[in-house]
Amino acid sequence: MDLETFWFCLIVVVWAMYFLLEGFDFGVGMLLPFVPRSDEERSTALRTIGPVWDGNEVWLVVAGGATFAAFPAWYATMFSGFYLALLLILFFLIVRVVSFEWRSKSETPRWRSTWTWANTIGSFGASFLWGIGLSCLVYGVPINSNGDFTGDVLDLFSPYSVFAGIAVVALFAFHGATFLTLRTTGELSGRAESAARKLAIPAAVLAAVYLAWTVAVGMDRNDKDLFPPVLPAALGIAALALAVAFLFAGRSGRAFAMTALGTISLVATLFVSLYPRVMVSSTDFADSLTVDDAAASHYALAVMSVVALIFVPVVLLYQGWTYYVFRHRIGGGAPEPQ
């Protein structure tokens, strides 16, 4: 494996970690107004993600930084072409972050309801736009022979990309519901399980259709063969089917593991369908950005590889330790995390 391919794979891993961990964060946020029935229960739901949500967002920073360093041409074209969409994602993420901090600043019902809904809207909006944005990489956007984006924000919206946004929202909500089932107690855990059962089949069907559609888009618009993209797609569909089966069998832990695997498979299917390109040109396929064309110099990639091989395992170990420390179920009405 050459360094360009190594860094492409590493960026895929980083995006998979972001979707896996921030996915259930977003899911909990989207469910806040609907599953908990009291302000105390909403505080409990927020406490399940309170110690980890900001650490989960580190993977997004790593994804952006790694893309900038390893594939500067990809970073330049994507961030200039997707500028408005990324700015809107940033707005939703900021609203969500502020909601964590400000919701506990007052006890008045209106104040708390406002910031509860702010968290929900931020979680929904970011999830929806991430689905659209990443799907556009393989579906294609207008790029000229200089690697410059020549379209506008409307070029990001197609039936495929919008469906991708809907599928990601549904999958994250399902993922978040199974997470809440494991991390809470009593009636809140029971209602989370009930919500997960209601979301299970629609989310699994939407995600399965999206996975199959992504393989088809890769073949149609990116000159890919059926193999290997069909492998992660089939794995994802099987995982989500098992998640539904485990959930209705009362095995919430295994259901969560399968929603996690399904989320990772979704990211893997998208990027396997994209490789060896990093952005597909919808105006002229020959102008698509490839891994080799967009990569930094060999020396830069070699230095970064040494750094990554040292620090990525450290980050994984630290984050794993964090989840181990905060592994216990949460109940009661203790104050919200600051």
Side-chain angles (χ1 to χ4, degrees), residues 165-311:
I166 295 171
V168 169
V169 167
L171 180 58
F172 282 0
F174 182 29
H175 194 33
T178 57
F179 176 80
L180 271 182
T181 302
L182 293 178
R183 295 284 283 115
T184 56
T185 61
E187 293 182 359
L188 179 56
S189 178
R191 284 196 297 276
E193 184 174 1
S194 177
R197 291 184 177 185
K198 292 176 182 177
L199 288 165
I201 294 177
V205 170
L206 286 169
V209 171
Y210 171 69
L211 288 167
W213 199 349
T214 299
V215 174
V217 166
M219 296 172 64
D220 179 50
R221 302 180 70 90
N222 194 30
D223 196 29
K224 294 288 291 186
D225 294 327
L226 180 63
F227 181 87
V230 71
L231 291 181
L235 178 62
I237 293 171
L240 292 170
L242 286 173
V244 175
F246 284 139
L247 186 64
F248 282 94
R251 297 175 177 257
S252 298
R254 294 184 181 182
F256 175 74
M258 290 300 103
T259 61
L261 181 57
T263 302
I264 293 172
S265 298
L266 183 145
V267 176
T269 301
L270 178 65
F271 281 97
V272 171
S273 298
L274 179 62
Y275 184 82
R277 278 157 281 278
V278 292
M279 290 186 74
V280 174
S281 173
S282 60
T283 49
D284 187 343
F285 184 68
D287 294 334
S288 300
L289 292 179
T290 66
V291 168
D292 292 335
D293 294 338
S297 68
H298 181 83
Y299 178 77
L301 293 177
V303 172
M304 291 189 301
S305 298
V306 174
V307 175
L309 290 173
I310 294 172
F311 287 102

Side-chain angles (χ1 to χ4, degrees), residues 10 37-38 48 51 61-62 83 114 123 134 158 160 166 215 231 258 260 273 325 337:
L10 185 58
R37 290 185 178 174
S38 66
T48 65
V61 177
V62 175
Y83 179 80
T114 296
S123 299
L134 292 184
S158 65
Y160 168 71
I166 295 171
V215 174
L231 291 181
M258 290 300 103
S273 298
V325 170

